[in-house]
Amino acid sequence: MTASPDLSFAQAYHALTMLVAATPRLMGFAGWPLAVAAARPAHVVPAASLVKEWADDDIPAHAALNAALRALCDLANWQQTYSEAEVGADFLARYGYFELVGPTGHYRTDAVRAYIAYWGGGLVYPWHVHEAEELYYILAGEAVFEAERRSPMLLRAGDTTFHAPWQPHAMTTGVQPVLALVLWRGAGIDGLPRMGRA
Ligand code: ZN
């Protein structure tokens, strides 16, 4: 039996809710309000198929969410903030994100924004900034995170890192790709990042 799109999103939302509820660093960021399902058109980018084929779950607690995310890769409203001139063709072929929960997400709330984001191995996500406060939580894989006023850190599944408003940050993947939950809160929650350090 093939699951309906609505059921696939409900399963992902439920799995994310369970992970947030069980993870104080996530629940402590912005709580977890009830969000209302909203129809968003499927918009697939090349990275969606890479996420769907990926079956490397380091942490058992992530298995339900990661499986649910793979199941909706062809249904999600994937986005790419940057142009080829900014990041290059290879980056665009192996990166993408969608807003599962948030002001314009598949589940609607203005209290928090929860992106699911993927970068393939060997990519450099250049320095960028945004107003909203941000918490990265690694669902699978690993990457080196850099931020101004801080030493670089290698983050693996279950690790988090926080970015203050307008704190420039960058990310580099090694051999492995990385799949991350990215939470935003506060002023600028409905904005977008931009390239640069200011
Ligand atoms: Zn950011």
Side-chain angles (χ1 to χ4, degrees):
M1 191 179 82
T2 302
S4 74
D6 288 352
L7 182 57
S8 294
F9 283 104
Q11 287 172 333
Y13 179 68
H14 179 259
L16 178 56
T17 299
M18 297 298 282
L19 178 65
V20 171
T23 310
R25 285 166 296 163
L26 297 177
M27 183 60 97
F29 181 71
W32 195 247
L34 280 177
V36 179
R40 300 280 288 129
H43 181 257
V44 176
V45 299
S49 62
L50 302 177
V51 177
K52 194 165 61 174
E53 292 161 6
W54 193 12
D56 181 15
D57 286 329
D58 299 332
I59 294 188
H62 295 172
L65 175 58
N66 290 357
L69 295 174
R70 291 182 194 113
L72 54 72
C73 279
D74 293 333
L75 305 169
N77 186 259
W78 290 89
Q79 298 295 323
Q80 295 182 318
T81 306
Y82 306 109
S83 67
E84 187 172 329
E86 289 174 303
V87 294
D90 182 42
F91 191 99
L92 292 186
R94 299 189 293 125
Y95 131 89
Y97 70 89
F98 63 91
E99 185 182 327
L100 183 55
V101 180
T104 60
H106 291 278
Y107 280 79
R108 296 289 167 86
T109 173
D110 291 330
V112 67
R113 204 171 194 181
Y115 296 113
I116 303 299
Y118 171 89
W119 290 264
L123 291 182
V124 175
Y125 185 7
W127 291 90
H128 57 283
V129 295
H130 47 77
E131 183 179 18
E133 294 180 295
E134 176 175 69
L135 188 76
Y136 267 82
Y137 178 91
I138 308 304
L139 293 170
E142 62 182 42
V144 173
F145 285 76
E146 296 176 85
E148 282 193 355
R149 306 182 298 278
R150 200 173 67 197
S151 300
M153 299 183 297
L154 174 64
L155 301 187
R156 297 191 173 94
D159 291 338
T160 56
T161 190
F162 174 80
H163 301 131
W166 303 118
Q167 182 181 15
H169 48 286
M171 190 198 74
T172 305
T173 52
V175 175
Q176 285 199 64
V178 66
L179 181 68
L181 166 66
V182 185
L183 298 180
W184 279 20
R185 71 180 180 194
I189 188 174
D190 56 354
L192 286 171
R194 66 171 187 247
M195 286 295 176
R197 297 179 79 137

